[in-house]
Amino acid sequence: MTKKIKVLLAKLGLDVHNRGIITVAKALSRAGMEVVYLGNALPAEIVSVAIQEDADVVGVSSLGGAHISLGSLLLKEAEERGLKDKMAFVMGGVFAPSDGERLKDMGFDGVFVPGATSEQIVSGIQNLA
Amino acid sequence: MKNGIKRTKETLHEALSGQTGRPLYSREALDAIRRGFDQWMETVVREADRDHWRKTPHTVLGSDAPRELLYTPLSDPDFDYERDLGNAGEPPFTRGIHANMYRGREFTMRQLTGFGSPEQTNERLKFMLDHGATGLNILFDLPTIQMYDSDDPFAVGQVGMSGVCVDSVEDMARLFKDVPLDEVTISIVTHYPSNTAILFPMFLALAEERGIPWENLKGSVQNDITLEELIRSGSEYIPPKDCFRIQCDNIEFIRKHVPKWNFVTLNGYNLREFGTSAITEMAVAVLNGMEILEELVRRGYEVDSVADRLAFFWSAANDFFEEVARIRAVRRLWYKIVKYRFHAQNPRAMLMRCHVQTSGVCLIQEEPRNNIIRSAYHALAAVLGGAQSLHVDSYDEAYSVPTEEAALLSLRTQQILQKETGVTEVVDPLGGSFYVEALTREIENRILEEIDEIEALGGYVKAIEGGQVYEKVATYFSDQQRLIEAGEIPVVGQNVYRSAAQGPPIDVFQYPEGVEERQKDRLQKLRLNRDNDKVQTTLNALKDACQKGKNILPYSVACARARCTEGELFKVFKDAFGLWKPPALF
């Protein structure tokens, strides 16, 4: 009866740093989840693919400073297309601790900062799905 | 590398194996040392230490080369001073590229700067110059790096974040307002060949408008295929072979017209930070350097006239002695390659000049002030290795772009090294250490082995296309992550000595807001006020040059003068070369 958790991962916008998200993609798939890695994409595309793939969780990565600007666009897009209650949205990357709080206040269901272990990310996502 | 060409390892082996050496240690001395050593091993060394004589330190971004407990003349019995070291400024340049090293010229203190609008970065540039920085490193925002205009849908929310935005020559003028372009050395961190071919012409057009002859400009661009096709994560890529061609077009043009400018920074740094070993970092950059030399020779240039301006860019990470040994090792190897494989004549062409940046990946969020200490060790290793210029990462970079306070602290780290510690007084102070020399040799061999592996695949550009280099990197960084999480790579404050209290919070740089709107307005005005017929003509000519295999730089300079925007030029590249899909890593 247990359906595989399906996670859509994407680099938010033009950010070039993809080591983290590839590491996470591998860890999630090792933990038995189905992972779709979109590469670099803007919020509208991420949301369209999330609907198409019927993902349980959408994870985005930002290390280039656009976590707030593009993060809020992503949530707005998800809200408008009625996804916010159907899927969990998580963000990982490099940003100030206060911004991590701000992302949660904005509506992200999970926020992962550098130092988060694969185990923490896997269990965090399992709990959200 | 074409088929039929002898591989580098084999070439060097043949060239060097015939040379008769003059070993430093006599047989007699070595025999006596061996007897004493064996006895010491039997009677003094504890069994446990004997059993684990060789130990492999696991370090962030390290090579995993095993280390012995103690190094002696027996570690390298054939050690030959003239062949293996030589005096400083003399072949094989192991000890440094200049005879007097830092007494003659202090290492350039170069700190990366760039955020927000061109005006905001201009303020920070002047602040750094006022506080004694001797070079400038300009860092661009993501849309500029990825070659989209600030009003492109792809740029939304990212204009002026983590770098400065530049759309046209007019932004270049704002960025360098009141900065004497011919007095400071300026490193324009363009990253890719494609954006070098777009942004550097804007810089040249600006110099022209200010009446500064191109011959007087001093600095560097990155212009590196590794960054564009391997490390980068992006939405659109041109094919590697076209990227390599643009890399060489840039080199050819700059060599001819901007003679004091370093036209390529063979980048190991970003690949290593992306997540690869101390060895792969150097193998890949050396391979790229070799393929550039081959191509420029094919285009009719003397190898000496190109090699004498190549510069490398290395990362300095945690394994202190390894970092020192690496810089020395690659300096010796590069000398051998340029001399014996490319048959250069001018010793200047055989020098491995390098800029070193301390590792950002080694910096962590937990107890961020510890990062100051990490970076200072990295910087010391770079100086003991004989780097020409240095950037010290700031302690808050695991959070954001550095604050002004953190950036100043990085500059001070360099100044303390240079002025207070005395380490710059003596050339190659670790030269002759049994350990450092053995490690230098070991690392040189390992780099050459990895070069050989990639040459066997058909060369570097081929191995990017085929995905093998990418695979190698991804395997390494997944392993590193696992080792850190398992505690096998100790990270203080994270997996060892983790403390509940995080210490007082630090100030974190806040990304400026409102830059995007201002930049969009500017672009709109630019497009209204420029001569759009001329824009179209110059863009068409550029496309034609791309398709006909002419050097594209004269055409992109014409575009910059006509006030074409960055996105317009990138579109020409995409139309002319088509798009390439990199091998899927996941």
Side-chain angles (χ1 to χ4, degrees), chain A residues 11 13-16 18-19 22-23 25-26 29 35 37 40 42 64-66 69-70 94-97 113-115 117-118, chain B residues 143 146 148 153-154 156-158 161-162 192 233-234 273-275 365 398-399 470 477-478 481 485 494 508 511 585-586:
Chain A
K11 286 295 305 168
L14 296 170
D15 185 19
V16 290
N18 57 356
R19 172 185 176 165
I22 292 167
T23 309
K26 290 185 171 189
S29 115
V35 179
Y37 179 45
N40 286 61
L42 288 171
S69 57
L70 289 184
V94 169
F95 29 77
V113 296
T117 61
S118 307
Chain B
Q146 300 268 37
Y148 299 96
F154 263 126
V156 67
Q158 299 157 92
M161 306 288 188
S162 69
Y192 317 139
S233 170
E273 293 287 306
F274 178 37
Q365 280 206 334
Y399 287 102
Y470 207 110
F477 69 61
S478 301
Q481 182 64 24
E485 288 182 11
Q494 193 179 76
V508 175
Y511 290 103
L585 227 225
F586 184 80

